[in-house]
Amino acid sequence: DTPALLLDLDAFEHNLDRMAALLAPTGTRLRAHAKTHKSPVIALQQMRRGAVGQCVQKVAEAEALAWGGVPDILVSNEVIAPRKLARLCALSAVAKVAVCADDAAGIAAVEAAAEAAGLRMTVLVEIDVGAGRCGVDPGPPAVALAERVAASPHLVFGGLQAYHGSAQHRRKPAEREAAIAHAAEGTRRTVEQLRQRGLSCGIVGGAGTGTFALEAATGAWTEIQA
């Protein structure tokens, strides 16, 4: 019956293998974004080839993956609604879960949900590296938020989110390279300032399918979200 989804398994597996092979020599981890497929079956195939986990854009996607057996999930977005945060905290019983924040109010919302659930939630501070969509400014503003997270008994500072998705839409390679160089510089500076304050970044995540090679080459990213 239609509509029906048809999958060319040879092409599918070729793409999975190629992505794994491209990243293998870089030392950069792959945290593939599941918003395109929303499938725990595909997510687990990616993880069998070396991906450390999955990104999702909203809580419902995180639930679909977690209950499908995916063990490590980052909501690469801000979540502030109390009910959605309660649902996200509940997933910690079956998976390792993290979420992003870019202001003090968002951190307070995650903190309240984690306290109510009786757990510690991992939070990444999102920095604006040029997309102008969300994120706090790199440098001292980001450091201040990271310290706020680290000081909470109900939260764990997990690192930085430094996604610049619009860079992959620049038509010329030189334009993409310049955009990524700018993003990498702000990210490096923030990581160093965090280090000076005694905070390490377990995750420094960013990139996109069209820019992961450039970003991996900068050395600023520990995880590619592609």
Side-chain angles (χ1 to χ4, degrees):
D1 290 342
T2 57
L5 174 65
L6 301 179
L7 179 63
D8 184 329
L9 286 176
D10 289 338
F12 168 69
E13 292 171 353
H14 169 79
N15 289 340
L16 293 181
D17 292 339
R18 183 167 183 262
M19 187 60 148
L22 284 170
L23 285 177
T26 70
T28 302
R29 303 186 298 256
L30 172 64
R31 183 180 293 275
H33 211 305
K35 68 181 180 182
T36 54
H37 58 71
K38 306 180 193 293
S39 166
V41 175
I42 293 177
L44 291 171
Q45 288 288 338
Q46 291 171 317
M47 295 186 72
R48 290 189 186 102
R49 289 165 170 82
V52 295
Q54 295 280 294
C55 288
V56 296
Q57 202 67 5
K58 56 185 184 178
V59 174
E61 294 170 351
E63 289 171 330
L65 294 192
W67 291 112
V70 177
D72 194 325
I73 303 166
L74 167 64
V75 181
S76 55
N77 196 8
E78 288 70 37
V79 179
I80 60 171
R83 287 187 178 183
K84 289 182 179 179
L85 285 170
R87 287 162 54 192
L88 193 63
C89 287
L91 289 183
S92 295
V94 295
K96 180 181 177 182
V97 179
V99 68
C100 293
D102 62 1
D103 66 6
I107 292 171
V110 180
E111 182 179 44
E115 181 179 10
L119 53 80
R120 299 184 73 196
M121 176 64 71
T122 298
V123 175
L124 276 67
V125 171
E126 181 163 11
I127 58 176
D128 182 1
V129 291
R133 185 175 65 177
C134 51
V136 68
D137 287 341
V143 172
L145 290 184
E147 290 182 321
R148 166 71 176 85
V149 172
S152 172
H154 307 292
L155 303 176
V156 176
F157 174 61
L160 297 177
Q161 162 111 331
Y163 180 70
H164 191 358
S166 59
Q168 60 196 302
H169 300 296
R170 308 286 174 88
R171 296 188 63 85
K172 298 179 180 179
E175 293 174 345
R176 293 197 296 272
E177 189 169 3
I180 293 307
H182 174 76
E185 177 53 34
T187 305
R188 282 197 202 95
R189 176 164 37 91
T190 306
V191 169
E192 174 57 23
Q193 291 174 4
L194 286 166
R195 187 193 65 77
Q196 292 173 1
R197 301 292 293 179
L199 294 174
S200 61
C201 293
I203 296 174
V204 182
T209 306
T211 57
F212 73 85
L214 285 173
E215 294 181 7
T218 68
W221 272 262
T222 59
E223 289 192 359
I224 295 295
Q225 302 165 357

